[in-house]
């Protein structure tokens, strides 16, 4: 048990899939896991542990933003001996080359968040884990899925002015959680990566409805699940 997670240590796998939305964590458990059970509901931040194709995994929500995922991923890595966290979330596109529903495998997360500084680092860019990414890449090849690999801007403010600076870093889009997640992994010598589904475009102003969001994130979730069985 930690300040924010009520699970017993043995109830959490060393591999965690982490959506932002607690109800998506519930949906993933109900749809994909065998013999799953609820391991956390403190603050309704649902977590479940079960088996996917025989592999024991935990799916637990992060909430929104670096502050929230920063807390949960820190406690999972530090107190529950979790080795791998894969975020499955959504992003807004900064480029016309990305369409709604496209998948992005995040290579680097760029941010002006103070998260890294507060954790004792002095960087504004942090990488995802290459071991996880190469396993995801193998699944992409095997399953013939289209996924774009690239950098992402991780913002602390959903409502903000402009993103020009981040285009110059090759950021394909924007979300709000990868920077704290990857920083915690670096701090604690653990591994983290992220797969994102494009849910809106800051270029064309298109966006997908919450109903469409549910069914169109399944491809991303299946990619994450089919990858972690090889971890
Ligand atoms: N901005 C920030 N975070 C996001 C967005 C966005 O447009 N879409 C999904 N996550």
């Amino acid at each position: 048990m930690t300040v924010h997670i009520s699970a017993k240590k043995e109830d959490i796998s060393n591999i965690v899939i982490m959506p932002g939305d607690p109800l998506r964590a519930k949906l993933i458990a109900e749809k994909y896991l065998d013999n799953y059970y609820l391991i956390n509901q403190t603050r309704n931040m649902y977590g479940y542990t079960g088996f996917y194709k025989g592999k024991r995994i935990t799916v637990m929500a992060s909430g929104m933003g670096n502050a929230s995922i920063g807390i949960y991923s820190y406690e999972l890595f530090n107190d529950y001996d979790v080795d791998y966290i894969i975020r499955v979330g959504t992003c807004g596109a900064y480029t016309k080359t990305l369409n709604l529903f496209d998948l992005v495998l995040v290579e680097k997360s760029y941010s002006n968040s103070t998260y890294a500084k507060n954790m004792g680092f002095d960087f504004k860019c942090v990488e995802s884990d290459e071991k996880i990414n190469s396993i995801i890449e193998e699944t992409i090849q095997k399953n013939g899925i289209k996924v774009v690999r690239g950098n992402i801007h991780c913002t602390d403010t959903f409502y903000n002015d402009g993103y020009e600076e981040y285009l110059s870093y090759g950021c394909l889009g924007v979300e709000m959680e990868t920077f704290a997640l990857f920083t915690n992994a670096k701090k604690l010598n653990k591994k983290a990566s992220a797969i994102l589904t494009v849910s809106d475009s800051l270029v064309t102003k298109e966006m997908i409805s919450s109903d469409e969001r549910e069914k169109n994130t399944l491809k991303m979730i299946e990619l994450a699940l089919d990858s972690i069985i090889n971890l």
Side-chain angles (χ1 to χ4, degrees):
M1 199 175 107
T2 58
V3 181
H4 303 94
I5 305 174
S6 48
K8 294 199 288 282
K9 193 162 177 173
E10 62 271 23
D11 283 339
I12 294 187
S13 164
N14 70 323
I15 302 170
V16 176
I17 301 269
M18 196 160 229
D21 178 357
L23 291 180
R24 192 156 311 139
K26 184 165 181 273
L27 181 137
I28 294 170
E30 287 169 354
K31 192 168 172 64
Y32 295 106
L33 301 189
D34 298 319
N35 296 326
Y36 65 86
Y37 60 100
L38 185 69
I39 54 96
N40 185 64
Q41 60 179 339
T42 301
R43 286 176 188 257
N44 287 339
M45 204 58 78
Y46 296 137
Y48 299 85
T49 294
F51 291 84
Y52 179 74
K53 297 186 180 168
K55 187 93 170 179
R56 185 170 179 264
I57 69 151
T58 293
V59 50
M60 181 167 162
S62 68
M64 284 187 286
N66 282 314
S68 186
I69 198 168
I71 291 170
Y72 292 109
S73 62
Y74 191 95
E75 291 179 11
L76 289 169
F77 281 144
N78 193 58
D79 299 286
Y80 286 93
D81 293 345
V82 167
D83 295 312
Y84 304 97
I85 298 180
I86 302 179
R87 162 166 157 70
V88 284
T90 57
C91 67
Y94 280 169
T95 152
K96 272 194 172 154
T97 58
L98 275 186
N99 297 309
L100 294 185
F101 312 125
D102 280 356
L103 300 190
V104 178
L105 175 59
V106 178
E107 291 188 334
K108 292 180 189 163
S109 173
Y110 282 85
S111 188
N112 64 5
S113 163
T114 51
Y115 197 90
K117 189 160 182 278
N118 292 342
M119 297 302 279
F121 293 114
D122 181 25
F123 53 66
K124 61 177 181 185
C125 163
V126 57
E127 290 180 10
S128 58
D129 179 69
E130 197 36 52
K131 176 182 169 187
I132 301 181
N133 291 349
S134 63
I135 287 172
I136 293 173
E137 188 67 52
E138 277 169 30
T139 312
I140 291 169
Q141 301 303 334
K142 203 164 68 202
N143 297 1
I145 318 166
K146 182 180 164 252
V147 178
V148 181
R149 281 186 78 152
N151 301 339
I152 205 81
H153 171 203
C154 184
T155 182
D156 276 341
T157 47
F158 186 89
Y159 299 103
N160 55 35
D161 300 326
Y163 50 86
E164 285 301 312
E165 181 190 351
Y166 293 92
L167 293 179
S168 70
Y169 306 140
C171 293
L172 301 171
V174 58
E175 53 83 65
M176 303 185 70
E177 290 82 18
T178 50
F179 192 70
L181 174 63
F182 298 173
T183 299
N184 280 346
K186 198 174 174 73
K187 176 94 185 168
L188 299 167
N189 216 1
K190 304 284 184 162
K191 298 185 188 307
S193 189
I195 312 169
L196 306 170
T197 300
V198 177
S199 61
D200 55 281
S201 169
L202 286 92
V203 187
T204 64
K205 312 292 180 207
E206 299 165 286
M207 66 170 99
I208 61 181
S209 67
S210 22
D211 286 356
E212 286 176 313
R213 208 175 263 236
E214 191 170 305
K215 84 172 174 281
N216 287 290
T217 48
L218 296 182
K219 194 166 67 169
M220 163 181 71
I221 289 158
E222 286 163 16
L223 173 59
L225 289 168
D226 283 330
S227 299
I228 53 105
I229 55 177
N230 297 314
L231 274 175

